[in-house]
């Protein structure tokens, strides 16, 4: 039996997408890599959304049987709208994962998490034998932290403790991420808070130093991961 309402199908990405042409090019390149029968880790953000659209088109045109493991609620909803069956890490290991990034340095280290999905994104990237990071020209930086802070997901009751512990890493600024569609802070899909941490310099040990703080669930730093960069 079908539901008689349109609440998910009436949504779209909902915001204007910067560098649309570049993102559509790289989305097409990702869609061209998909093979029949694969399970894909589906990252979050507008580039991942465009990649899903391109994959859904190929699925319809070529009758491909693909499953996705989404990294966020918006990508889960997008899969529902596009008719892409979703699964999870307990049922399947992804054949490969595609995702976007906020910053990519010359060593292919990343800052991710503008969309607040870095915990599930890191989980999928670690669980996948292969990860492709989609990059438009705005994402390439000479050093991490030039344009974006490092997002850190924090268990709510640990906020003040974590704020204190972060001082040991000498950040330039630490901001609690505030919501736009609700009063108060952003609450992640895991029920946690996000603090955005600006550093003068992100060091090779910064990811581990953040992870070592009790109360930090995960950060958006990906230092030295084995990822392929797919440019527009
Ligand atoms: C979300 C992310 C995104 O992949 C990152 O913010 C890039 O987004 P976009 O493709 O919209 O530029 O990490 O948590």
């Amino acid at each position: 039996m079908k539901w008689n309402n349109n609440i998910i199908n009436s949504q779209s990405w909902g915001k204007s997408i910067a560098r649309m042409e570049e993102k559509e090019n790289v989305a097409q390149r990702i869609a061209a890599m998909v093979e029949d029968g694969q399970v894909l880790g589906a990252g979050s953000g507008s580039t991942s959304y465009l990649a899903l659209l391109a994959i859904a088109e190929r699925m319809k045109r070529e009758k491909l049987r693909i499953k996705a493991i989404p990294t966020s609620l918006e990508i889960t909803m997008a899969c529902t709208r596009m008719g892409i069956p979703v699964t999870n890490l307990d049922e399947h290991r992804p054949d490969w994962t595609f995702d976007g990034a906020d910053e990519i340095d010359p060593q292919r280290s990343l800052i991710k998490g503008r969309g607040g999905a870095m915990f599930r994104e890191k989980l999928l990237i670690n669980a996948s034998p292969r990860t492709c990071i989609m990059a438009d020209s705005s994402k390439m930086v000479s050093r991490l932290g030039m344009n974006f802070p490092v997002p850190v997901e924090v268990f709510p009751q640990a906020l003040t403790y974590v704020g204190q512990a972060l001082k040991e890493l000498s950040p330039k600024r630490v901001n609690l991420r505030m919501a736009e569609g609700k009063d108060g802070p952003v609450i992640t899909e895991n029920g946690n808070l996000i603090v955005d941490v600006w550093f003068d310099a992100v060091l090779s040990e910064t990811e581990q130093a953040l992870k070592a703080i009790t109360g930090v669930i995960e950060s958006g730093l990906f230092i030295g991961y084995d990822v392929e960069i797919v440019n527009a």
Side-chain angles (χ1 to χ4, degrees):
M1 188 173 180
K2 295 230 181 237
W3 289 106
N4 185 22
N5 79 73
N6 214 14
I7 194 152
I8 289 183
N9 285 343
S10 60
Q11 301 298 311
S12 65
W13 181 248
K15 292 174 235 163
S16 70
I17 296 181
R19 294 180 190 265
M20 184 66 152
E21 205 175 310
E22 284 186 60
K23 287 181 176 177
E24 278 180 332
N25 280 344
V26 73
Q28 289 296 339
R29 294 186 60 191
I30 288 292
M33 292 163 58
V34 171
E35 291 172 18
D36 189 31
Q38 285 186 326
V39 174
L40 305 174
S44 294
S46 59
T47 323
S48 295
Y49 173 78
L50 293 173
L52 271 180
L53 271 178
I55 291 166
E57 245 177 68
R58 268 200 72 199
M59 285 171 69
K60 277 196 199 99
R61 211 176 40 239
E62 300 171 39
K63 309 238 176 313
L64 300 182
R65 292 155 303 127
I66 301 298
K67 286 190 170 69
I69 306 182
T71 50
S72 60
L73 196 50
E74 80 265 11
I75 291 298
T76 307
M77 288 179 176
C79 287
T80 303
R81 271 198 310 278
M82 296 174 198
I84 302 175
V86 297
T87 181
N88 58 61
L89 277 177
D90 297 323
E91 298 288 336
H92 292 99
R93 184 176 186 201
D95 290 288
W96 57 284
T97 287
F98 60 87
D99 203 345
D102 301 313
E103 290 188 352
I104 304 170
D105 79 2
Q107 286 72 44
R108 290 179 281 130
S109 290
L110 316 171
I111 290 182
K112 294 183 42 54
R114 177 201 51 75
M118 57 276 182
F119 176 45
R120 281 170 68 184
E121 290 171 337
K122 198 173 277 190
L123 185 58
L124 259 295
I125 288 173
N126 278 325
S128 293
R130 180 184 185 197
T131 295
C132 294
I133 298 293
M134 297 173 287
D136 62 67
S137 51
S138 73
K139 307 298 174 67
M140 311 310 290
V141 293
S142 55
R143 64 167 180 83
L144 294 182
M146 290 179 75
N147 305 323
F148 281 85
V150 174
V152 178
E153 181 161 350
V154 177
F155 184 67
Q157 289 167 44
L159 181 62
T160 304
Y161 171 77
V162 170
Q164 186 68 31
L166 284 171
K167 287 188 168 225
E168 300 290 314
L169 305 180
S170 311
K172 249 187 336 195
R173 212 167 64 238
V174 177
N175 297 332
L176 178 61
R177 195 182 290 186
M178 301 306 283
E180 280 171 23
K182 78 176 262 296
D183 293 340
V186 165
I187 309 290
T188 69
E189 286 160 26
N190 316 305
N192 298 311
L193 304 171
I194 295 177
V195 290
D196 286 312
V197 187
W198 290 89
F199 289 102
D200 272 327
V202 173
L203 308 175
S204 55
E205 56 271 19
T206 305
E207 181 181 1
Q208 287 314 318
L210 289 169
K211 188 70 194 262
I213 301 171
T214 304
V216 166
I217 306 297
E218 198 42 89
S219 81
L221 261 187
F222 294 67
I223 307 278
Y225 287 53
D226 183 19
V227 295
E228 295 165 42
I229 308 302
V230 180
N231 293 106

